[in-house]
Amino acid sequence: MAALNLNTLVRQAHEQNDYDSLISLIPYAKLIGIECLRLGDDMVFRLPASKDNIGNPILPALHGGVIAGFMEHAAMLHLLMFMGIPHLPKIIDFSIDYLRAGHYRDTYAQCQVWRQGRRVANVAITAWQTNQTEPIATARAHFKVDEP
């Protein structure tokens, strides 16, 4: 996708407070059902409860890979929306700490960019379910943000 088209999509998403057009650019984000909620200057990503995302049906609990994928894609979308990157960032590495079971309920994530250079951006991601002060996972991701 051309940089001009992507920048236009980001601008329109912000104006309309509707980020579905950006999410649809990333097939996995669309598959697991990621949604974006704009709260003032902050963005919260939501993964609605879905039986398709369950890894342990006995608890039931979300699959760890779904939680990691949700957090990675939330960071990618966050960079795209707020850092003025004219293309989709490419993941370099991703490290996750699972802190609690992700039960069968809505899951939320919030991202913080620790550093954005010309080539690489470092993002911290926190995921929670019922209380933001009790995260189910934290992660760190590094993305290549210069032109591919």
Side-chain angles (χ1 to χ4, degrees):
M1 170 168 282
L4 181 60
N5 291 342
L6 193 55
N7 286 337
T8 301
L9 278 175
V10 170
R11 184 181 43 75
Q12 289 173 346
H14 284 309
E15 288 171 358
Q16 299 168 1
N17 199 26
D18 181 3
Y19 298 91
D20 289 344
S21 61
L22 295 176
I23 292 169
S24 67
L25 295 175
I26 306 168
Y28 185 72
K30 189 175 178 182
L31 175 74
I32 63 173
I34 294 177
E35 298 173 356
C36 298
L37 308 167
R38 181 86 186 251
L39 305 170
D41 290 339
D42 291 332
M43 181 68 67
V44 175
F45 297 90
R46 177 175 171 252
L47 180 66
S50 170
K51 291 186 187 233
D52 292 337
N53 294 337
I54 291 177
N56 182 343
I58 295 170
L59 287 179
L62 296 176
H63 190 284
V66 172
I67 294 170
F70 167 56
M71 295 173 76
E72 177 185 326
H73 284 76
M76 181 188 308
L77 287 162
H78 183 85
L79 285 172
L80 180 64
M81 291 174 194
F82 292 108
M83 299 294 117
I85 299 168
H87 56 275
L88 290 174
K90 304 274 192 240
I91 189 76
I92 295 171
D93 73 1
F94 183 84
S95 176
I96 187 167
D97 295 317
Y98 296 100
L99 306 174
R100 293 175 177 76
H103 295 287
Y104 179 62
R105 60 178 71 118
D106 290 357
T107 305
Y108 302 90
Q110 196 161 22
C111 304
Q112 182 176 5
V113 178
W114 286 113
R115 180 179 186 281
Q116 182 188 356
R118 288 181 296 137
R119 295 187 175 140
V120 176
N122 302 339
V123 184
I125 312 104
T126 303
W128 71 92
Q129 291 186 315
T130 55
N131 188 339
Q132 191 171 3
T133 61
E134 296 178 1
I136 63 167
T138 60
R140 293 151 311 283
H142 299 94
F143 290 90
K144 182 177 183 271
V145 294
D146 60 347
E147 287 294 329

